[in-house]
Amino acid sequence: MRVLVAGGAGYIGSVTVDQLVAAGHDVTVIDSLVAGHASALNPECEFTQGDVRDEAVLGRLFAAHTFDAVINYSGYIQAGESVQQPGRYFANNVTGAIALLNAMVTYDIRRFVFSSSAAVYGEPEAVPITEEAPLRPVNPYGESKLMVERMLPWFESRFGVRSVSLRYFNAAGATEERGEDHRPETHLIPNVLQVPLGKRQSLALYGTDYPTRDGTCVRDYIHVSDLAATHLLALDYAEKRSGAFNLANGVGFTNREVIESARRVTGHPIPLTEEPRRAGDPAELVASNERARAELGWAIEFDDLDAIVDSAWRWHQTHPDGYPD
Ligand SMILES: NC(=O)c1ccc[n+]([C@@H]2O[C@H](COP(=O)([O-])OP(=O)(O)OC[C@H]3O[C@@H](n4cnc5c(N)ncnc54)[C@H](O)[C@@H]3O)[C@@H](O)[C@H]2O)c1
């Protein structure tokens, strides 16, 4: 199969590209490198540096290849920033998806896999969150993901484009070659590991009075390899059907438990400073993955927090400054 991966130089996209190449697929990546890294790209994929909203670039790519499917990771990813800059988020995340879908229609490509997010649910009424839970984003980032999800059935009914929306919870961990290098980094595990790496003195822990088992937020971490693997299953699924799936471990860990895990894995004491809650951080975000298991045939390999943290720690030790570019 020839697959176009938009945003394939980013954290999750680069791991998926490796898995697609290993499975024998031909992979083309388009990435503007606004947040991705050229050195995260598998040398066997074909790479175009460009913005997916640039119709001329997309037109050239689609005219030159016969793609069987498109996976879209491209977009901005920081929920907090999206509250400050809603227009920038809608312009990139929604317009980018529309540009890809329009090109797919023009070139008669019928399979689309979309990186959605847990953020489409907003503050859940109940956990674990199932796909039937109300979709009520609480920030423009989540809203932009939901807007794309809501467009997809219209492209299916009019043009037969089947799509799979994958609602990721917290992506974490690394493979030997690819790891997490967001700038700025807003995710807990890479930030915790900056302390044993000597990049910061202590970690700020936001909110210690939540109604959870130790007062800190509970989140659902899913290893990036397990996430990437689902995209290959989703490509098969989209051959016949469309759907939306939670990609989650189904087990939540508190922030303190993640820090304890990092202390065990690294052998470093990791000092903390306790700070007030941050606005908009729900107490608990844990999801059911039953639909993805039953319908996509997904099997999670990394269900152990220490194993996830250990994989990240190995990568950060070999890449203390992240990717070179
Ligand atoms: N990391 C997570 O925990 C998480 C959780 C939920 C959802 N997601 C979603 O998964 C996707 C990938 O996340 P990630 O952590 O790998 O992010 P990332 O920032 O590492 O990757 C996104 C990639 O898209 C590229 N990009 C952005 N806008 C572009 C544009 N207009 N044209 C071309 N390329 C563009 C960036 O350069 C980057 O390489 C995102 O859509 C994100 O919203 C991530």
Side-chain angles (χ1 to χ4, degrees):
M1 198 176 350
R2 179 164 276 283
V3 185
L4 177 65
V5 182
Y11 171 44
I12 307 168
S14 63
V15 177
T16 310
V17 169
D18 284 347
Q19 292 190 7
L20 287 165
V21 168
H25 299 297
D26 296 314
V27 182
T28 300
V29 169
I30 177 168
D31 196 302
S32 63
L33 299 182
V34 64
H37 308 278
S39 57
L41 283 166
N42 186 300
E44 285 178 45
C45 75
E46 186 195 88
F47 175 54
T48 293
Q49 181 172 355
D51 192 303
V52 293
R53 293 169 288 175
D54 185 333
E55 284 178 17
V57 172
L58 271 198
R60 279 198 295 275
L61 260 185
F62 278 78
H65 302 86
T66 306
F67 296 121
D68 298 291
V70 174
I71 306 180
N72 183 24
Y73 293 97
S74 69
Y76 297 137
I77 70 163
Q78 290 179 51
E81 185 182 70
S82 78
V83 176
Q84 305 307 322
Q85 303 178 32
R88 186 165 168 263
Y89 272 71
F90 291 123
N92 196 11
N93 297 5
V94 182
T95 315
I98 294 173
L100 286 166
L101 287 160
N102 283 342
M104 288 175 65
V105 168
T106 304
Y107 288 89
D108 206 17
I109 296 154
R110 300 264 160 78
R111 279 190 267 181
F112 186 68
V113 177
F114 174 57
S115 294
S116 186
S117 168
V120 296
Y121 296 111
E123 302 249 4
E125 282 167 8
V127 289
I129 302 166
T130 67
E131 287 84 353
E132 277 75 40
L135 300 170
R136 291 189 207 124
V138 293
N139 50 56
Y141 168 70
E143 190 74 50
S144 73
K145 295 291 183 184
L146 185 55
M147 286 166 81
V148 175
E149 283 202 25
R150 289 209 160 124
M151 291 187 314
L152 295 175
W154 299 102
F155 279 85
E156 180 163 18
S157 59
R158 176 66 183 89
F159 302 112
V161 175
R162 290 173 301 278
S163 57
V164 175
S165 295
L166 300 173
R167 298 172 182 161
Y168 317 154
F169 282 67
N170 290 46
T175 66
E176 222 164 273
E177 291 176 309
R178 320 271 175 236
E180 192 164 7
D181 181 8
H182 296 120
R183 301 178 195 181
E185 188 58 77
T186 55
H187 295 149
L188 179 62
I189 292 175
N191 278 328
V192 175
L193 295 176
Q194 290 205 331
V195 183
L197 279 174
K199 303 265 173 203
R200 59 170 77 186
Q201 297 282 312
S202 62
L203 182 82
L205 181 58
Y206 295 100
T208 52
D209 59 349
Y210 285 96
T212 60
R213 52 186 174 266
D214 64 16
T216 63
C217 292
V218 176
R219 294 290 180 269
D220 185 319
Y221 295 89
I222 185 88
H223 193 274
V224 66
S225 297
D226 284 328
L227 271 188
T230 335
H231 295 73
L232 280 75
L233 299 171
L235 289 174
D236 290 342
Y237 189 91
E239 212 178 336
K240 299 215 166 62
R241 287 194 288 164
S242 296
F245 299 92
N246 288 342
L247 297 188
N249 230 318
V251 180
F253 294 99
T254 68
N255 288 349
R256 281 196 203 280
E257 287 165 351
V258 172
I259 294 159
E260 273 312 321
S261 168
R263 287 175 174 149
R264 278 193 299 278
V265 165
T266 64
H268 189 284
I270 311 184
L272 301 177
T273 57
E274 296 193 1
E275 307 287 343
R277 294 182 186 194
R278 282 184 307 200
D281 263 350
E284 188 167 356
L285 290 176
V286 176
S288 161
N289 57 24
E290 271 175 34
R291 185 186 284 180
R293 285 174 183 276
E295 290 191 37
L296 296 176
W298 189 38
I300 293 178
E301 201 184 315
F302 286 84
D303 56 1
D304 177 64
L305 180 62
D306 283 6
I308 293 176
V309 173
D310 183 58
S311 71
W313 177 231
R314 284 165 192 270
W315 190 81
H316 285 289
Q317 283 179 294
T318 53
H319 301 76
D321 298 314
Y323 287 107
D325 43 16

